[in-house]
Amino acid sequence: AEPFGLTSMYIYNKRGVSSSLSRPTKKADWNRNGGALKVVPTVSFRSILESLQNFEIDLIMTDMQGHDFAAVSSVGGLIKEVGVKRLVTEVYKDNVVSYEGAKNDICRDWLPHMQFVGYVFEGLTRMKKNGKEALVEGFQNKKQAIKSCKALFQKETTASFAEYNAYWRVEGIAPVDLLKTHYVCPRHLPWQNGPRFTKEQYAACCQ
């Protein structure tokens, strides 16, 4: 991919929080109006990683509305070469496809690729209505995930919305308790009365 460019994006949901480079696979309250189409600037994931090579990268989180796997897989082993210790990536599960043409399945795409580039699957979580995350049954570690995926490979893909957070660590570093550390900074969501932080607290976050 080119380091910089332009592309079209479909704008969905309040404040555009569900906007994507692809159309949703089915109708829902947040996308019934079809989504405004806008031209937006792009920066390749490779360019971002290369710009951070002189920094220690504890964590990368992605939430790309179906395009997480396309971005991460596009850089191959570079993500390990630049020293990224951990990742949290939004993924599909249960053979669900949320956005047209977007490969992002935990079983079919993520598990084989991340193992190939040197990362260990630590667990899958889903946000509950109370705003807290919970580990997903059958995907609480690599062994469980492999067993669950074998059963899912026998089923057809369906159009639906069911996205999860997958946690990864580079081979050779110690595992953590996902639900206690949350990898580990709190989220800042002012429109949901989320926590406010001083500049000093932001500066100290994750150190």
Side-chain angles (χ1 to χ4, degrees):
E2 293 295 323
F4 304 97
L6 296 171
T7 193
S8 55
M9 173 175 275
Y10 299 94
I11 310 302
Y12 296 110
N13 217 336
K14 293 180 180 180
R15 300 181 179 86
V17 296
S18 299
S19 300
S20 178
L21 303 180
S22 300
R23 291 184 181 277
T25 54
K26 63 180 295 186
K27 293 292 185 182
D29 290 341
W30 55 269
N31 67 29
R32 292 193 186 282
N33 294 329
L37 189 61
K38 292 188 177 182
V39 175
V40 295
T42 61
V43 181
S44 73
F45 192 45
R46 178 174 292 275
S47 296
I48 294 172
L49 288 179
E50 290 176 344
S51 72
L52 296 172
Q53 288 188 85
N54 295 324
F55 295 86
E56 185 174 349
I57 308 174
D58 291 312
L59 172 67
I60 287 179
M61 298 183 71
T62 70
D63 184 352
M64 300 183 181
Q65 306 308 116
H67 291 267
D68 306 69
F69 182 71
V72 174
S73 64
S74 72
V75 302
L78 179 63
I79 198 163
K80 185 177 182 181
E81 291 174 21
V82 301
V84 179
K85 297 177 182 177
R86 300 180 186 273
L87 296 95
V88 182
T89 61
E90 190 175 68
V91 303
Y92 301 155
K93 187 179 78 69
D94 297 333
N95 293 327
V96 162
V97 178
S98 301
Y99 290 90
E100 294 177 357
K103 296 176 59 177
N104 203 39
D105 187 84
I106 181 65
C107 297
R108 301 172 189 274
D109 305 312
W110 282 101
L111 282 172
H113 174 76
M114 294 301 278
Q115 180 173 330
F116 179 74
V117 297
Y119 284 81
V120 178
F121 174 71
E122 292 206 276
L124 199 68
T125 66
R126 188 171 190 182
M127 191 71 69
K128 298 193 296 185
K129 291 183 178 180
N130 62 7
K132 295 183 179 181
E133 288 192 84
L135 281 165
V136 176
E137 185 177 351
F139 287 85
Q140 298 184 11
N141 53 54
K142 179 182 175 181
K143 185 177 180 179
Q144 285 186 12
I146 291 173
K147 182 178 179 180
S148 297
C149 286
K150 285 182 178 179
L152 289 170
F153 286 145
Q154 310 303 318
K155 300 179 180 180
E156 297 292 327
T157 58
T158 58
S160 188
F161 305 113
E163 294 167 329
Y164 302 78
N165 285 330
Y167 289 74
W168 314 90
R169 60 177 167 85
V170 71
E171 293 173 342
I173 67 172
V176 296
D177 186 326
L178 303 186
L179 299 183
K180 288 185 178 180
T181 62
H182 194 69
Y183 272 48
V184 64
C185 294
R187 296 183 176 183
H188 182 70
L189 302 173
W191 61 86
Q192 295 181 2
N193 296 317
R196 271 50 170 195
F197 304 103
T198 64
K199 290 181 179 179
E200 291 75 18
Q201 288 174 316
Y202 267 124
C205 184
C206 287
Q207 291 184 358

